[in-house]
Amino acid sequence: MYVVTGGAGFIGSACIWKLNREGIDTVVAVDGVSGTATPENLRSLRIQELLDKQTFIRQVRDDRVPFPVEAVIHMGACSSTTERDLEFLAENNVRYTRDLAEWCLACGVRFIYASSGATYGDGSLGFSDDDRLTPQLRPLNPYGASKQAVDVWALETGAATRMAGLKFFNVFGPNEYHKGPMSSFVFKAYHQFKEEGRVRLFRSDRADIADGEQQRDFVYVKDCVEVVQWLLEHPDANGIFNVGTGRARTWNDLAAAVAAAMEVDLKIDYVDMPAELRGAYQYHTLAETQKLRRAGFNRPFRSLEEAVADYVRGYLAQPDPYLQA
C-alpha cells in the first residue's frame, strides 16, 4: 500500500494522480477528514481509503498500522507562510513528520517528505541544497522554520541518508483551488484577467528591483510529482533535494505567460505589499538542481510558458478543472 499524507491537498493529490497514471491504485490518502463527502481533489482519483490524519499518526505512534505499507509520501503539513501558531506548527509540521519518518525507517518503508524553498530565507546564503549549508539557513517565517527543523533533524540523526526530502520552490498547477490566499499567482491571475481584464502584482520595496521584477523559481506540479515518482523507483537515491526548474523568472513574466495562454491583453496594476509580508518576502529564489541531477534524475522540467499554458488551457478553462486518474 502507498500512503500519501496531505492526499486531499494540492501536491498530495497530484502524487496520487501520478501513481494512478502508473497503474497504482493501492493508495491510502491521509488528510484532515471532515464529513462523508469525497474531497474534490480526490473525486476523480483511485484510492483504497481516505484516513483521518490524527487516526493515522496514532496508529503509527502505537506501531499498529492495520495494513502493509510499501511507501509513504508525506505531503501533509500546514503550508501557510503567514501561520503564527508555533505550537501548531511544531506538532503538525515537525513532530508529525519526525515520528512518521522514524516509523518508516524502523519498518523499512520508503519515506519521501516535503520540505520547502522557504527554508532559504532571504537567499543571502544562496540556494544550494548542499548538506553543509542547510544548518546555517535562516527562514523568514515560522512555516519555513518548521520545515528547516525537520531538515536539520534528518541531517543530524543520519536519517537523510535513508530517505528523501524535497525542497519545493514555487509550485503551481491543478488541484490547488482550495488553498485560498496560498494559491498560486497563476490561479489568481486567471480569475483576475477573466473577471477584471487585468491583474495585480506587488510593488517592489527595493530601489534596485523594479515593480514586478522580483524573481522566483516557478515549478509546475506535474514536474514535481515526476521527481516523487522517480524517487519511488530509485530507493537508493536519498538526501535532501531542491525541486525547481533551476531558472528564476519574474512575476511580470508569469503574468505575461497567463495572458498569452488566455489570449488576452497584458494589463498589470502594481499594489502595495501587505504589511505582514514586509521583511518576510523573498525577492529572489533559484533552485540549484545539480544534486538531484547527480543522483540520477534526468527528466526535463517544462518551461514557464509551457507549464502555464497546460494549466490554463487544460484545467482552469475546462468545466472540470481537477486532475483525472
Side-chain angles (χ1 to χ4, degrees):
M1 198 74 69
Y2 291 78
V3 175
V4 181
T5 70
F10 174 31
I11 302 178
S13 64
C15 288
I16 295 174
W17 168 79
K18 180 61 178 174
L19 288 169
N20 287 172
R21 289 176 69 87
E22 297 294 320
I24 298 170
D25 58 11
T26 52
V27 179
V28 171
V30 173
D31 216 305
V33 178
S34 60
T36 58
T38 300
E40 281 294 306
N41 280 354
L42 295 175
R43 177 172 45 81
S44 299
L45 302 178
R46 302 190 304 273
I47 64 171
Q48 300 295 310
E49 183 180 1
L50 174 59
L51 188 61
D52 178 73
K53 65 179 184 179
Q54 296 303 332
T55 299
F56 179 61
I57 197 62
R58 283 196 298 271
Q59 292 173 348
V60 166
R61 288 167 176 162
D62 293 341
D63 194 20
R64 293 185 178 180
V65 177
F67 46 82
V69 180
E70 182 172 343
V72 172
I73 303 169
H74 181 45
M75 299 290 124
C78 171
S79 61
S80 173
T81 58
T82 58
E83 178 60 60
R84 293 294 182 267
D85 187 334
L86 301 184
E87 176 54 31
F88 171 71
L89 288 169
E91 174 57 32
N92 197 67
N93 288 15
V94 181
R95 288 192 286 270
Y96 196 114
T97 304
R98 186 181 60 210
D99 292 352
L100 184 51
E102 289 177 336
W103 179 81
C104 287
L105 295 178
C107 297
V109 171
R110 180 62 163 150
F111 186 68
I112 300 168
Y113 75 94
S115 182
S116 172
T119 58
Y120 289 106
D122 63 6
S124 59
L125 295 178
F127 297 92
S128 170
D129 48 10
D130 188 301
D131 292 344
R132 293 169 295 183
L133 175 67
T134 296
Q136 304 175 45
L137 300 176
R138 295 294 178 266
L140 295 175
N141 53 53
Y143 161 74
S146 72
K147 293 297 188 178
Q148 169 76 352
V150 174
D151 292 344
V152 171
W153 167 82
L155 291 172
E156 289 180 345
T157 62
T161 64
R162 301 167 57 203
M163 64 190 195
L166 300 177
K167 292 195 177 198
F168 293 114
F169 277 63
N170 283 72
V171 186
F172 66 94
N175 286 25
E176 64 167 317
Y177 318 125
H178 62 289
K179 292 177 68 67
M182 293 295 111
S183 60
S184 75
F185 175 72
V186 180
F187 176 74
K188 295 174 183 175
Y190 173 82
H191 290 285
Q192 288 175 17
F193 275 129
K194 188 175 181 180
E195 297 163 11
E196 306 170 32
R198 54 201 312 115
V199 295
R200 293 179 293 277
L201 289 174
F202 291 145
R203 290 192 180 96
S204 172
D205 287 334
R206 288 175 46 173
D208 60 328
I209 298 178
D211 293 340
E213 290 299 300
Q214 306 98 318
Q215 295 183 333
R216 297 289 178 88
D217 191 330
F218 302 106
V219 59
Y220 198 30
V221 71
K222 288 186 179 182
D223 291 325
C224 294
V225 299
E226 287 287 341
V227 175
V228 173
Q229 183 63 36
W230 182 84
L231 287 166
L232 288 174
E233 296 167 357
H234 296 82
D236 293 332
N238 294 307
I240 301 172
F241 303 100
N242 283 338
V243 180
T245 65
R247 185 179 181 191
R249 301 291 299 274
T250 70
W251 293 100
N252 288 332
D253 289 337
L254 191 57
V258 176
M262 296 179 67
E263 298 182 343
V264 299
D265 293 335
L266 176 61
K267 297 180 181 179
I268 302 174
D269 294 328
Y270 297 102
V271 300
D272 290 338
M273 189 175 298
E276 64 267 21
L277 291 182
R278 293 172 191 166
Y281 183 83
Q282 292 176 304
Y283 272 76
H284 173 81
T285 67
L286 175 63
E288 293 187 16
T289 59
Q290 296 92 330
K291 186 176 178 182
L292 182 62
R293 297 301 187 187
R294 286 196 303 269
F297 182 80
N298 58 10
R299 302 174 190 178
F301 286 83
R302 293 167 178 82
S303 71
L304 181 68
E305 289 74 15
E306 289 170 336
V308 168
D310 184 75
Y311 183 23
V312 168
R313 296 171 184 166
Y315 297 91
L316 294 177
Q318 299 301 313
D320 186 349
Y322 291 90
L323 290 165
Q324 311 288 317

